[in-house]
Amino acid sequence: MTIDQDQATDSEKKISWTLTRDENFNFRAAHWSDLHGLLHDALPPDIFFWGHLFLSFSISHDKTSVKVKAKVIQTDENIEIVGDLLVAADGCLSSIRQSFLPDLKLRYSGYCAWRGILDFSGNENSETILGIRKAYPELGNCLYFDLGFKTHTVLYELLNKRINWIWYVNQPEPEMKGNSVTMKVRGDMIQKMHQEAEKVWVPEFAQVMKETKEPFINVIYDSDPLEKIFWDNVVLIGDAAHPTTPHGVRSTNMSILDAEVLGKCLKKWGADNLHSALEEYQSTRLPVTSKQVLHSRRVGRIKQGLVLP
Ligand SMILES: Cc1cc2nc3c(=O)[nH]c(=O)nc-3n(C[C@H](O)[C@H](O)[C@H](O)COP(=O)(O)OP(=O)(O)OC[C@H]3O[C@@H](n4cnc5c(N)ncnc54)[C@H](O)[C@@H]3O)c2cc1C
C-alpha cells in the first residue's frame, strides 16, 4: 500500500472527510497464514515441534544450558529438550517472562478491538463490495483510519480477496478466562456491535462488518517498558519482550526485527560468548522498542479520546 489516510466521520450526517494523507507510505499487509507460510518454507522442516505445549524450564547450575519441559498434546506425553539458549517468543502473556517478573502486570488500555476479515472471493461484484469500494476508492492501495467520537477504525484490503477491519471501543476491562487476549463473543454481542456500527460509521463500512463471519474481540494491553529482556541463557523477543498496543501498526515488524538482531548478535559473538551476544541484542533493541510502545500508547489514547497523562 502506498497511501496512509486518516479521516474523520460525522456519525449523524454519515459523512467523512480527510484529515491527513501520506502518499509515500510503503506498507505491506499480509494475512497471518501467508506470513507463516513464508517462514515455514524458509526454515528446515525438522525444527518445528507441532502440537507441543511449553510447560516449564530450568537453567543448569553452571548456567551453560537450559532444559525445557513440554507436553505433546496428542499423546499427553511430556518431553524434555536441552539447549544452549531459550528464546521466549511466547507472546504478550509470556509465561517465561512471568517466571522472571512475577509481579509485572499488563496495563489495560481502556478499550477493546472488534476485528474481522471479510472473505469476498466469488462475491467481487456484490453490493457490499461495490459499496465499500465507492466509499473507500483507494482500498487495496490505502490504509484507512476513521476517527469517530472517542473511537476509531482501521480498514484495508489483503491479498486474495479479503478485507481486514478493526474497531476500537472504549469500555471497562472485561473479565478474561484462560490465557488469551482474544475473547469469544456471543451472538447477542455481535448483533449489538452491528447496531452500534450502523449508528457510528458510514453504511458501507457497517455493511462490511455485518457480512463478516465470526468477528472476535481482542482486549488491548501493553506494559511499561521492561528494564531487561534476558536472564542468563533465557531471552525474550517479540510481544513477550514488549507487550504493546497496536497503533504503530508495526508490532509484528518489532518482533521480526528482534529476531533478526538477535540472530546477528549470536552469529557475531558465537555460542561461547552468549552473554555478550544477549547484551548487544538488549542494548540495540530495548531503547527502540520502549519508545515505540510508549508512542503507540499515546496514539491510541489520542484516537480514543482518552485523557493523556
Ligand atoms: C487488535 C490488534 C491489531 C494488530 N495489528 C497489527 C498490525 O496491523 N501490524 C502488526 O505488525 N502487528 C499488529 N498486531 C500485533 C501482532 O499481532 C503482534 O505484535 C505479534 O503477533 C507478536 O508476535 P509474537 O510472535 O511476539 O507473539 P504471538 O503472535 O502472540 O505468538 C506467540 C505464540 O506463542 C504461543 N505460545 C504461548 N504460550 C505457549 C506455550 N506455553 N506453549 C506453546 N506455545 C505457546 C502462542 O500460541 C502464540 O502462537 C496487532 C495486534 C492486535 C491485538
Side-chain angles (χ1 to χ4, degrees), residues 93-105:
L93 299 173
S94 170
S95 62
I96 299 175
R97 183 188 66 226
Q98 206 188 0
S99 65
F100 293 106
L101 302 168
D103 297 329
L104 183 94
K105 290 248 175 324

Side-chain angles (χ1 to χ4, degrees), residues 27-30 32 35-36 49 51-56 69-71 73 88-96 112-115 143 154 156 164-168 179 181-182 216-221 237-256 258:
F27 187 87
R28 282 160 189 79
W32 278 116
L35 188 58
H36 289 160
F49 287 74
H52 286 58
L53 182 70
F54 164 88
L55 296 175
S56 63
K69 273 195 191 146
K71 180 156 128 181
I73 291 167
D90 53 347
C92 74
L93 299 173
S94 170
S95 62
I96 299 175
C112 293
W114 273 101
R115 304 182 70 179
L143 179 65
V154 186
Y156 54 94
N164 186 35
W165 58 267
I166 307 172
W167 177 13
Y168 295 97
N179 195 32
V181 293
T182 300
F216 59 97
I217 293 178
N218 278 153
V219 186
I220 307 297
Y221 292 97
I237 72 166
D239 275 10
H242 37 72
T244 182
T245 56
H247 310 293
V249 207
R250 62 179 337 278
S251 335
T252 309
N253 301 40
M254 290 161 75
S255 306
I256 291 172
D258 285 350

